[in-house]
Amino acid sequence: MAFTAKDVMTLREQTGAGMMDCKRALVDADGDMDKAADLLRERGIAKAAKKASRIAAEGIVCAYVANGTGVLIEVNCESDFVANGEKFHTVVETIAKHVAAHKPASVEELLAQTMEGGKTVELYVQEQVAVIGEKISVRRFTVYESKGLIETYIHMGGTLGVMLDFDCPVNETTKELAHNIALHTAFSKPQYKTAAEVSAETLEKEKEILKKEVLNEGKPEAIAEKIVLGKIKKFYEENCLLDQKFVKDDKVTISQLIADAAKKAGAPVSLKAFCFYVMGQGLEKKNEDLSEEVAKQVESMKK
């Protein structure tokens, strides 16, 4: 039985599923609208579509490293109960492994990619929504490809994750160094690797704020400039990883720690890149109001 673009639109309106999912269901159902709707329900897609507008502000940060490729990924769900569950962790690990193998450039590209078995990552996620019962959203990921050493650290089951890429030989000295810097990064949360990464705009804004603070303290204009320069140095020490004082020994900076490890290892050691994710940072969380929820349900029953 043939079907038209209008049929696809109608099925989409009825189920809330995506256009391609509706088209695929109609093909599989030989154009039968009711059968196609049933297929979407069986596949969990219609159910998943209804959950798409919910807020997913819980979840985990996960790390995966294999064959010189490291992935740090954040996937969100609706509740900490699901976030702590084995099923959700399996879903996140499956997606992380796919990212490592196929290295998509964006979340959109990731969702459109085909997994083993022929389904897209987006369809896989939708199917897991039906299984788990909550909205699942891939928020972000970072991929490092390295010929050196990739170190990862996941804190408290996924509330925070760190990944670092070192250009160095892999031995006990560099492994210990990488582990220590990963722990340090999780604690200090630096915004930049070096001072050179701080944009001129950010620096000027920081100087302006600091100067106002100093002038408000009653310091003369001439002295204020010198004080601001000192405070900018402090800004670098607090926000640039290589300039930060090591959390386990504040007499040593991270750059000095790396230099010492290089001497001990007898080979050059450098930190190429780092990233860290704080789970849910910047996401709006659902504000549960039981009385309001009950009132809505009662009102809907009257209609």
Side-chain angles (χ1 to χ4, degrees):
M1 185 189 302
F3 62 89
T4 65
K6 187 176 180 180
D7 294 329
V8 176
M9 286 296 296
T10 300
L11 184 60
R12 184 178 186 278
E13 290 170 1
Q14 289 177 357
T15 64
M19 293 289 287
M20 292 305 296
D21 292 319
C22 290
K23 184 177 179 181
R24 193 177 296 113
L26 282 166
V27 169
D28 294 343
D30 197 25
D32 187 311
M33 191 75 73
D34 292 335
K35 188 176 178 181
D38 288 340
L39 283 173
L40 288 171
R41 288 184 61 195
E42 288 169 12
R43 294 169 181 173
I45 295 171
K47 190 175 181 180
K50 292 178 181 178
K51 292 181 171 65
S53 62
R54 294 186 184 179
I55 297 171
E58 298 295 337
I60 60 169
V61 177
C62 172
Y64 176 76
V65 181
N67 303 317
T69 298
V71 173
L72 190 69
I73 187 169
E74 179 182 351
V75 180
N76 302 118
C77 57
E78 296 178 56
S79 70
D80 57 358
F81 176 78
V82 165
N84 293 327
E86 186 178 342
K87 287 183 179 178
F88 183 71
H89 279 248
T90 299
V91 171
V92 179
E93 287 167 11
T94 299
I95 297 171
K97 288 178 181 178
H98 177 92
V99 172
H102 298 275
K103 302 173 183 63
S106 65
V107 171
E108 291 74 22
E109 185 178 321
L110 165 65
L111 295 175
Q113 288 182 337
T114 302
M115 304 176 75
E116 290 182 16
K119 68 181 68 172
T120 64
V121 175
E122 183 173 23
L123 180 55
Y124 169 74
V125 171
Q126 289 173 340
E127 289 175 347
Q128 298 312 306
V129 169
V131 172
I132 291 174
E134 288 190 4
K135 178 180 178 180
I136 298 173
S137 175
V138 181
R139 186 186 184 195
R140 51 183 172 169
F141 61 83
T142 297
V143 180
Y144 288 157
E145 294 183 79
S146 178
K147 293 180 180 179
L149 172 62
I150 292 177
E151 177 70 12
T152 63
Y153 170 70
I154 299 297
H155 184 67
M156 295 286 287
T159 57
L160 181 149
V162 174
M163 182 166 65
L164 307 102
D165 179 12
F166 288 89
D167 187 2
C168 65
V170 179
N171 53 45
E172 291 306 312
T173 297
T174 55
K175 284 180 181 178
E176 182 182 2
L177 171 75
H179 179 67
N180 280 331
I181 296 179
L183 292 176
H184 170 93
T185 303
F187 176 81
S188 62
K189 302 179 183 62
Q191 298 303 306
Y192 313 95
K193 187 178 81 171
T194 67
E197 293 180 358
V198 182
S199 69
E201 183 182 357
T202 299
L203 193 58
E204 284 306 311
K205 185 176 180 181
E206 188 66 21
K207 284 180 178 178
E208 185 180 335
I209 292 170
L210 291 172
K211 187 173 181 180
K212 286 180 180 178
E213 286 179 359
V214 172
L215 291 173
N216 288 337
E217 291 171 0
K219 300 289 191 300
E221 180 88 21
I223 297 175
E225 293 289 345
K226 293 180 180 179
I227 295 175
V228 167
L229 288 176
K231 286 181 176 288
I232 286 296
K233 183 181 178 183
K234 185 72 173 175
F235 171 81
Y236 288 142
E237 290 175 355
E238 290 177 350
N239 293 281
C240 302
L241 177 55
L242 295 184
D243 291 327
Q244 287 182 334
K245 293 177 181 179
F246 183 35
V247 68
K248 291 183 180 180
D249 182 1
D250 62 8
K251 295 182 179 64
V252 181
T253 64
I254 297 300
S255 60
Q256 290 170 339
L257 197 70
I258 293 173
D260 291 343
K263 287 180 183 178
K264 188 176 179 181
V269 178
S270 64
L271 176 64
K272 290 174 62 180
F274 81 95
C275 63
F276 69 88
Y277 293 163
V278 178
M279 194 287 300
Q281 188 173 42
L283 291 177
E284 176 189 1
K285 294 206 173 187
K286 185 176 180 180
N287 184 21
E288 298 287 355
D289 188 330
L290 184 59
S291 59
E292 183 180 344
E293 186 65 27
V294 171
K296 286 181 180 178
Q297 291 182 14
V298 171
E299 192 62 32
S300 65
M301 291 169 66
K302 294 178 182 178
K303 296 178 181 179

